[in-house]
mmCIF file of all heavy atoms in Angstrom:
data_model
loop_
_atom_site.group_PDB
_atom_site.id
_atom_site.type_symbol
_atom_site.label_atom_id
_atom_site.label_comp_id
_atom_site.label_asym_id
_atom_site.label_seq_id
_atom_site.Cartn_x
_atom_site.Cartn_y
_atom_site.Cartn_z
ATOM 1 N N GLU V 28 6.616 36.991 -21.972
ATOM 2 C CA GLU V 28 5.330 37.666 -21.879
ATOM 3 C C GLU V 28 5.021 38.454 -23.143
ATOM 4 O O GLU V 28 3.881 38.585 -23.531
ATOM 5 C CB GLU V 28 5.320 38.581 -20.661
ATOM 6 C CG GLU V 28 5.292 37.823 -19.355
ATOM 7 C CD GLU V 28 5.215 38.747 -18.164
ATOM 8 O OE1 GLU V 28 4.685 39.858 -18.302
ATOM 9 O OE2 GLU V 28 5.695 38.338 -17.102
ATOM 10 N N ASN V 29 6.037 38.985 -23.767
ATOM 11 C CA ASN V 29 5.821 39.784 -24.976
ATOM 12 C C ASN V 29 6.278 39.017 -26.226
ATOM 13 O O ASN V 29 6.940 39.560 -27.089
ATOM 14 C CB ASN V 29 6.544 41.123 -24.867
ATOM 15 C CG ASN V 29 8.035 40.962 -24.672
ATOM 16 O OD1 ASN V 29 8.508 39.885 -24.357
ATOM 17 N ND2 ASN V 29 8.778 42.035 -24.862
ATOM 18 N N TYR V 30 5.894 37.772 -26.318
ATOM 19 C CA TYR V 30 6.329 36.919 -27.425
ATOM 20 C C TYR V 30 5.909 37.468 -28.776
ATOM 21 O O TYR V 30 6.621 37.355 -29.760
ATOM 22 C CB TYR V 30 5.813 35.480 -27.251
ATOM 23 C CG TYR V 30 4.320 35.361 -27.307
ATOM 24 C CD1 TYR V 30 3.664 35.119 -28.505
ATOM 25 C CD2 TYR V 30 3.540 35.498 -26.169
ATOM 26 C CE1 TYR V 30 2.295 35.022 -28.566
ATOM 27 C CE2 TYR V 30 2.169 35.397 -26.218
ATOM 28 C CZ TYR V 30 1.548 35.167 -27.420
ATOM 29 O OH TYR V 30 0.194 35.079 -27.498
ATOM 30 N N TYR V 31 4.752 38.104 -28.845
ATOM 31 C CA TYR V 31 4.270 38.647 -30.119
ATOM 32 C C TYR V 31 5.190 39.783 -30.577
ATOM 33 O O TYR V 31 5.584 39.832 -31.739
ATOM 34 C CB TYR V 31 2.837 39.131 -29.976
ATOM 35 C CG TYR V 31 2.264 39.649 -31.269
ATOM 36 C CD1 TYR V 31 1.918 38.775 -32.294
ATOM 37 C CD2 TYR V 31 2.096 41.006 -31.478
ATOM 38 C CE1 TYR V 31 1.403 39.240 -33.486
ATOM 39 C CE2 TYR V 31 1.590 41.485 -32.667
ATOM 40 C CZ TYR V 31 1.246 40.600 -33.671
ATOM 41 O OH TYR V 31 0.739 41.072 -34.856
ATOM 42 N N GLN V 32 5.557 40.691 -29.668
ATOM 43 C CA GLN V 32 6.453 41.792 -30.009
ATOM 44 C C GLN V 32 7.829 41.267 -30.406
ATOM 45 O O GLN V 32 8.461 41.790 -31.323
ATOM 46 C CB GLN V 32 6.576 42.769 -28.828
ATOM 47 C CG GLN V 32 5.287 43.488 -28.502
ATOM 48 C CD GLN V 32 4.776 44.328 -29.665
ATOM 49 O OE1 GLN V 32 5.553 44.898 -30.421
ATOM 50 N NE2 GLN V 32 3.473 44.385 -29.824
ATOM 51 N N GLN V 33 8.294 40.236 -29.726
ATOM 52 C CA GLN V 33 9.586 39.652 -30.080
ATOM 53 C C GLN V 33 9.538 39.028 -31.470
ATOM 54 O O GLN V 33 10.502 39.106 -32.224
ATOM 55 C CB GLN V 33 10.000 38.607 -29.048
ATOM 56 C CG GLN V 33 10.393 39.207 -27.722
ATOM 57 C CD GLN V 33 10.751 38.141 -26.690
ATOM 58 O OE1 GLN V 33 10.673 36.948 -26.944
ATOM 59 N NE2 GLN V 33 11.153 38.597 -25.505
ATOM 60 N N GLY V 34 8.431 38.415 -31.808
ATOM 61 C CA GLY V 34 8.263 37.850 -33.141
ATOM 62 C C GLY V 34 8.262 38.919 -34.217
ATOM 63 O O GLY V 34 8.870 38.755 -35.283
ATOM 64 N N LEU V 35 7.596 40.034 -33.941
ATOM 65 C CA LEU V 35 7.591 41.136 -34.897
ATOM 66 C C LEU V 35 8.989 41.721 -35.071
ATOM 67 O O LEU V 35 9.397 42.063 -36.180
ATOM 68 C CB LEU V 35 6.620 42.234 -34.439
ATOM 69 C CG LEU V 35 5.138 41.892 -34.523
ATOM 70 C CD1 LEU V 35 4.313 43.035 -33.940
ATOM 71 C CD2 LEU V 35 4.720 41.593 -35.942
ATOM 72 N N ALA V 36 9.722 41.842 -33.978
ATOM 73 C CA ALA V 36 11.084 42.370 -34.060
ATOM 74 C C ALA V 36 11.977 41.444 -34.889
ATOM 75 O O ALA V 36 12.792 41.906 -35.686
ATOM 76 C CB ALA V 36 11.660 42.562 -32.659
ATOM 77 N N ALA V 37 11.823 40.145 -34.716
ATOM 78 C CA ALA V 37 12.606 39.185 -35.501
ATOM 79 C C ALA V 37 12.261 39.308 -36.983
ATOM 80 O O ALA V 37 13.143 39.266 -37.846
ATOM 81 C CB ALA V 37 12.352 37.764 -35.009
ATOM 82 N N HIS V 38 10.979 39.499 -37.277
ATOM 83 C CA HIS V 38 10.548 39.656 -38.669
ATOM 84 C C HIS V 38 11.160 40.926 -39.283
ATOM 85 O O HIS V 38 11.620 40.910 -40.419
ATOM 86 C CB HIS V 38 9.025 39.701 -38.747
ATOM 87 C CG HIS V 38 8.514 39.871 -40.138
ATOM 88 N ND1 HIS V 38 8.611 38.891 -41.091
ATOM 89 C CD2 HIS V 38 7.936 40.938 -40.746
ATOM 90 C CE1 HIS V 38 8.102 39.332 -42.226
ATOM 91 N NE2 HIS V 38 7.685 40.575 -42.041
ATOM 92 N N ARG V 39 11.193 42.022 -38.522
ATOM 93 C CA ARG V 39 11.793 43.267 -39.022
ATOM 94 C C ARG V 39 13.284 43.087 -39.264
ATOM 95 O O ARG V 39 13.835 43.625 -40.233
ATOM 96 C CB ARG V 39 11.531 44.413 -38.045
ATOM 97 C CG ARG V 39 10.098 44.929 -38.087
ATOM 98 C CD ARG V 39 9.949 46.203 -37.286
ATOM 99 N NE ARG V 39 10.134 45.993 -35.858
ATOM 100 C CZ ARG V 39 9.183 45.687 -35.001
ATOM 101 N NH1 ARG V 39 7.948 45.541 -35.413
ATOM 102 N NH2 ARG V 39 9.456 45.530 -33.719
ATOM 103 N N THR V 40 13.954 42.345 -38.396
ATOM 104 C CA THR V 40 15.383 42.105 -38.548
ATOM 105 C C THR V 40 15.665 41.307 -39.815
ATOM 106 O O THR V 40 16.583 41.632 -40.568
ATOM 107 C CB THR V 40 15.930 41.367 -37.313
ATOM 108 O OG1 THR V 40 15.675 42.160 -36.165
ATOM 109 C CG2 THR V 40 17.414 41.110 -37.431
ATOM 110 N N ILE V 41 14.876 40.296 -40.067
ATOM 111 C CA ILE V 41 15.029 39.495 -41.288
ATOM 112 C C ILE V 41 14.735 40.344 -42.517
ATOM 113 O O ILE V 41 15.431 40.254 -43.532
ATOM 114 C CB ILE V 41 14.123 38.253 -41.231
ATOM 115 C CG1 ILE V 41 14.619 37.304 -40.145
ATOM 116 C CG2 ILE V 41 14.067 37.547 -42.579
ATOM 117 C CD1 ILE V 41 13.662 36.184 -39.794
ATOM 118 N N ALA V 42 13.739 41.219 -42.420
ATOM 119 C CA ALA V 42 13.391 42.087 -43.541
ATOM 120 C C ALA V 42 14.543 43.027 -43.891
ATOM 121 O O ALA V 42 14.750 43.351 -45.064
ATOM 122 C CB ALA V 42 12.132 42.888 -43.219
ATOM 123 N N ARG V 43 15.324 43.445 -42.896
ATOM 124 C CA ARG V 43 16.475 44.320 -43.156
ATOM 125 C C ARG V 43 17.536 43.587 -43.979
ATOM 126 O O ARG V 43 18.139 44.156 -44.889
ATOM 127 C CB ARG V 43 17.064 44.819 -41.841
ATOM 128 C CG ARG V 43 16.151 45.796 -41.135
ATOM 129 C CD ARG V 43 16.618 46.188 -39.761
ATOM 130 N NE ARG V 43 18.027 46.501 -39.708
ATOM 131 C CZ ARG V 43 18.783 46.268 -38.643
ATOM 132 N NH1 ARG V 43 18.283 45.727 -37.553
ATOM 133 N NH2 ARG V 43 20.069 46.588 -38.665
ATOM 134 N N SER V 44 17.759 42.312 -43.673
ATOM 135 C CA SER V 44 18.714 41.511 -44.449
ATOM 136 C C SER V 44 18.199 41.283 -45.864
ATOM 137 O O SER V 44 18.964 41.313 -46.829
ATOM 138 C CB SER V 44 18.963 40.169 -43.767
ATOM 139 O OG SER V 44 19.650 40.355 -42.559
ATOM 140 N N GLU V 45 16.898 41.051 -45.987
ATOM 141 C CA GLU V 45 16.306 40.837 -47.309
ATOM 142 C C GLU V 45 16.381 42.090 -48.167
ATOM 143 O O GLU V 45 16.571 42.009 -49.377
ATOM 144 C CB GLU V 45 14.863 40.361 -47.158
ATOM 145 C CG GLU V 45 14.765 38.956 -46.613
ATOM 146 C CD GLU V 45 13.342 38.532 -46.274
ATOM 147 O OE1 GLU V 45 12.430 39.391 -46.257
ATOM 148 O OE2 GLU V 45 13.142 37.334 -46.017
ATOM 149 N N LEU V 46 16.232 43.272 -47.559
ATOM 150 C CA LEU V 46 16.355 44.520 -48.311
ATOM 151 C C LEU V 46 17.772 44.671 -48.863
ATOM 152 O O LEU V 46 17.958 45.036 -50.023
ATOM 153 C CB LEU V 46 15.997 45.718 -47.427
ATOM 154 C CG LEU V 46 16.164 47.094 -48.084
ATOM 155 C CD1 LEU V 46 15.280 47.219 -49.323
ATOM 156 C CD2 LEU V 46 15.856 48.189 -47.092
ATOM 157 N N ALA V 47 18.778 44.375 -48.061
ATOM 158 C CA ALA V 47 20.157 44.432 -48.536
ATOM 159 C C ALA V 47 20.368 43.453 -49.687
ATOM 160 O O ALA V 47 21.058 43.761 -50.661
ATOM 161 C CB ALA V 47 21.127 44.142 -47.395
ATOM 162 N N ASP V 48 19.743 42.301 -49.596
ATOM 163 C CA ASP V 48 19.850 41.299 -50.648
ATOM 164 C C ASP V 48 19.194 41.800 -51.933
ATOM 165 O O ASP V 48 19.742 41.640 -53.019
ATOM 166 C CB ASP V 48 19.211 39.998 -50.170
ATOM 167 C CG ASP V 48 19.684 38.801 -50.952
ATOM 168 O OD1 ASP V 48 20.881 38.750 -51.286
ATOM 169 O OD2 ASP V 48 18.851 37.925 -51.232
ATOM 170 N N ARG V 49 18.008 42.403 -51.826
ATOM 171 C CA ARG V 49 17.319 42.927 -53.015
ATOM 172 C C ARG V 49 18.112 44.051 -53.681
ATOM 173 O O ARG V 49 18.052 44.222 -54.886
ATOM 174 C CB ARG V 49 15.924 43.424 -52.652
ATOM 175 C CG ARG V 49 14.910 42.325 -52.443
ATOM 176 C CD ARG V 49 13.486 42.843 -52.409
ATOM 177 N NE ARG V 49 13.264 43.924 -51.458
ATOM 178 C CZ ARG V 49 12.969 43.770 -50.171
ATOM 179 N NH1 ARG V 49 12.877 42.545 -49.670
ATOM 180 N NH2 ARG V 49 12.768 44.805 -49.393
ATOM 181 N N MET V 50 18.842 44.833 -52.900
ATOM 182 C CA MET V 50 19.652 45.913 -53.460
ATOM 183 C C MET V 50 20.951 45.379 -54.064
ATOM 184 O O MET V 50 21.692 46.125 -54.691
ATOM 185 C CB MET V 50 19.988 46.949 -52.374
ATOM 186 C CG MET V 50 18.796 47.750 -51.935
ATOM 187 S SD MET V 50 19.229 49.108 -50.824
ATOM 188 C CE MET V 50 19.798 48.254 -49.376
ATOM 189 N N GLY V 51 21.238 44.102 -53.852
ATOM 190 C CA GLY V 51 22.488 43.527 -54.348
ATOM 191 C C GLY V 51 23.688 44.119 -53.635
ATOM 192 O O GLY V 51 24.737 44.318 -54.218
ATOM 193 N N LEU V 52 23.518 44.376 -52.367
ATOM 194 C CA LEU V 52 24.532 45.061 -51.580
ATOM 195 C C LEU V 52 25.635 44.107 -51.148
ATOM 196 O O LEU V 52 25.375 43.007 -50.679
ATOM 197 C CB LEU V 52 23.857 45.671 -50.355
ATOM 198 C CG LEU V 52 24.582 46.767 -49.603
ATOM 199 C CD1 LEU V 52 24.947 47.920 -50.521
ATOM 200 C CD2 LEU V 52 23.695 47.271 -48.480
ATOM 201 N N THR V 53 26.883 44.542 -51.340
ATOM 202 C CA THR V 53 28.050 43.799 -50.858
ATOM 203 C C THR V 53 28.960 44.761 -50.111
ATOM 204 O O THR V 53 28.943 45.973 -50.345
ATOM 205 C CB THR V 53 28.851 43.140 -51.998
ATOM 206 O OG1 THR V 53 29.287 44.146 -52.900
ATOM 207 C CG2 THR V 53 28.023 42.094 -52.713
ATOM 208 N N ALA V 54 29.747 44.215 -49.231
ATOM 209 C CA ALA V 54 30.714 45.006 -48.476
ATOM 210 C C ALA V 54 32.069 44.326 -48.575
ATOM 211 O O ALA V 54 32.167 43.105 -48.533
ATOM 212 C CB ALA V 54 30.287 45.122 -47.016
ATOM 213 N N THR V 55 33.088 45.127 -48.708
ATOM 214 C CA THR V 55 34.458 44.636 -48.680
ATOM 215 C C THR V 55 35.091 45.180 -47.410
ATOM 216 O O THR V 55 35.148 46.395 -47.207
ATOM 217 C CB THR V 55 35.237 45.092 -49.920
ATOM 218 O OG1 THR V 55 34.540 44.640 -51.086
ATOM 219 C CG2 THR V 55 36.641 44.531 -49.916
ATOM 220 N N LEU V 56 35.540 44.276 -46.566
ATOM 221 C CA LEU V 56 36.084 44.621 -45.256
ATOM 222 C C LEU V 56 37.596 44.451 -45.265
ATOM 223 O O LEU V 56 38.109 43.425 -45.706
ATOM 224 C CB LEU V 56 35.474 43.706 -44.187
ATOM 225 C CG LEU V 56 36.077 43.749 -42.787
ATOM 226 C CD1 LEU V 56 35.819 45.094 -42.127
ATOM 227 C CD2 LEU V 56 35.506 42.620 -41.938
ATOM 228 N N SER V 57 38.279 45.474 -44.802
ATOM 229 C CA SER V 57 39.718 45.357 -44.582
ATOM 230 C C SER V 57 40.034 45.973 -43.231
ATOM 231 O O SER V 57 39.269 46.777 -42.708
ATOM 232 C CB SER V 57 40.514 46.033 -45.710
ATOM 233 O OG SER V 57 40.128 47.376 -45.837
#
Side-chain angles (χ1 to χ4, degrees):
E28 290 183 27
N29 59 346
Y30 65 91
Y31 182 73
Q32 294 299 325
Q33 289 178 358
L35 290 176
H38 180 70
R39 285 190 293 270
T40 301
I41 292 168
R43 290 173 45 212
S44 292
E45 290 172 349
L46 177 60
D48 200 39
R49 284 194 307 274
M50 290 188 293
L52 198 56
T53 59
T55 303
L56 170 67
S57 56

